[in-house]
Amino acid sequence: MMKKLPILLTPYIKTRYPYDKLKICRHCRHFTVLGETECPVCGKSALQKVEELAASTLRRSLWGSRLTVLLITAIGLVMSGSTMQTILLAIGGTALLALLWTMQRRSTPALLRLELEKLFHREAYPLIAGLANDRETAIKVFHSGDKPLAYEMLREIGALVHTDQLRIEQILLLQSFVLRKDMDLMLEPLLMDHFDPDLVEYIGELAKIRRDLLKENTFRYILLHEGHILKMEHGESILVGVAGAAVRMKRYLTLYPYLIMRYARKLPKDRFLRLYRIIESSPKSSFGPLYEEVMSIYNERYKWDEDFLPAHKERGV
Ligand SMILES: [Zn+2]
């Protein structure tokens, strides 16, 4: 088995939109999600956030329409034949400008999204090429031996590029690290449709250290590929771990009762106690066969266990 590396990971900075970290070089028009100021292609300190680029394009076009209104008003004023006409034109022009200004201010966020969409559409090819170049940079970093940095780079690219190849590369790197619960780990973005033993192993690791990362999509993935997982070397213990993570919330007991039922007998005592507490405090009808199974395990093994007495209710998850 490959020796795992103890490493430190930089926390992942979440952004409101996936493209928030995407930048474009003002000099060579190269797109990248890596680096803050220096362009990885031309080396110039000319990186600009795509959102800033779209905002400046939008500002120019908004000013264009304001100037058009001003120009029309000015021509009208020059050509007006009487004082009354001049006053009416001045009032009308000012009101129109104020209205336009207010409308533009209110619709700026929506217009900015539209401008970004246009930018991505217009620059689709350079954008794909830029992100492919970012991935190649990460692979080079990997070959140079800096695996944590390579993973962090792939993680950034993964926010925008949703391919299984990129997911597998991240999972393989994660599987070469000693994972700890204080690390900024993620699972949902790495889930795939097809069965992947490395992904399953990674889920198994997380079931031990970060149960909170296992949610509906993971349980569905595990259920879908349960047959394949059981054929893996430690498949059953991974499934027990996943069932142990599912007893974290009552909702998961309702959603996946059969997954939990199949592995309830193999759960470690603390996870079974958690399961028992939820089942015992709910109406019998809520869980059907799961209720029967849990009670039968309880009667066989834990009936005389002090930890299962009502006075010893656990507090943690
Ligand atoms: Zn450049």
Side-chain angles (χ1 to χ4, degrees), residues 193-197 200 221-236 238-239 263:
D193 291 329
H194 68 272
F195 169 68
D196 182 272
V200 174
Y221 178 83
I222 291 290
L223 275 171
L224 194 63
H225 301 292
E226 194 179 348
H228 281 113
I229 299 171
L230 279 169
K231 287 182 192 148
M232 288 170 64
E233 197 186 344
H234 305 290
E236 193 184 55
I238 292 172
L239 288 163
Y263 303 98

Side-chain angles (χ1 to χ4, degrees), residues 145-156:
D146 195 343
K147 286 185 177 182
L149 181 61
Y151 166 70
E152 285 168 14
M153 290 167 120
L154 291 173
R155 186 175 65 177
E156 292 297 344

Side-chain angles (χ1 to χ4, degrees), residues 25 27-28 30 39 42:
C25 174
H27 183 72
C28 70
H30 175 84
C39 171
C42 70

Side-chain angles (χ1 to χ4, degrees), residues 105-237:
R105 271 180 73 95
R106 279 192 192 157
S107 51
T108 297
L111 290 172
L112 187 62
R113 297 279 92 76
L114 207 67
E115 195 60 50
L116 272 164
E117 263 176 43
K118 276 198 273 180
L119 174 79
F120 292 144
H121 191 70
R122 200 171 55 233
E123 307 273 350
Y125 182 73
L127 177 58
I128 293 166
L131 292 168
N133 189 70
D134 278 353
R135 186 185 153 264
E136 277 166 30
T137 311
I139 301 295
K140 273 186 209 148
V141 169
F142 167 77
H143 288 305
S144 76
D146 195 343
K147 286 185 177 182
L149 181 61
Y151 166 70
E152 285 168 14
M153 290 167 120
L154 291 173
R155 186 175 65 177
E156 292 297 344
I157 304 162
L160 283 163
V161 182
H162 304 139
T163 62
D164 283 353
Q165 185 195 21
L166 204 69
R167 291 185 181 108
I168 290 167
E169 285 163 358
Q170 288 179 78
I171 293 164
L172 287 176
L173 275 167
L174 283 164
Q175 281 299 85
S176 71
F177 304 148
V178 176
L179 301 179
R180 298 183 316 271
K181 65 174 167 193
D182 60 321
M183 277 179 179
D184 198 355
L185 299 168
M186 54 174 75
L187 175 56
E188 296 257 321
L190 300 176
L191 289 175
M192 297 174 252
D193 291 329
H194 68 272
F195 169 68
D196 182 272
D198 292 303
L199 171 60
V200 174
E201 297 259 4
Y202 177 59
I203 294 173
E205 288 275 307
L206 292 182
K208 290 182 208 155
I209 56 164
R210 287 288 307 274
R211 287 183 202 120
D212 58 304
L213 290 178
L214 277 67
K215 294 176 184 158
E216 274 97 330
N217 288 340
T218 309
F219 296 126
R220 273 200 294 273
Y221 178 83
I222 291 290
L223 275 171
L224 194 63
H225 301 292
E226 194 179 348
H228 281 113
I229 299 171
L230 279 169
K231 287 182 192 148
M232 288 170 64
E233 197 186 344
H234 305 290
E236 193 184 55
S237 68

Side-chain angles (χ1 to χ4, degrees), residues 59-94:
R59 262 196 306 276
R60 271 200 303 276
S61 101
L62 295 184
W63 270 110
S65 45
R66 285 168 204 162
L67 287 173
T68 310
V69 172
L70 269 176
L71 193 69
I72 292 168
T73 313
I75 293 170
L77 287 172
V78 170
M79 294 175 73
S80 71
S82 67
T83 317
M84 186 52 96
Q85 244 181 18
T86 309
I87 293 169
L88 285 175
L89 265 167
I91 293 171
T94 315

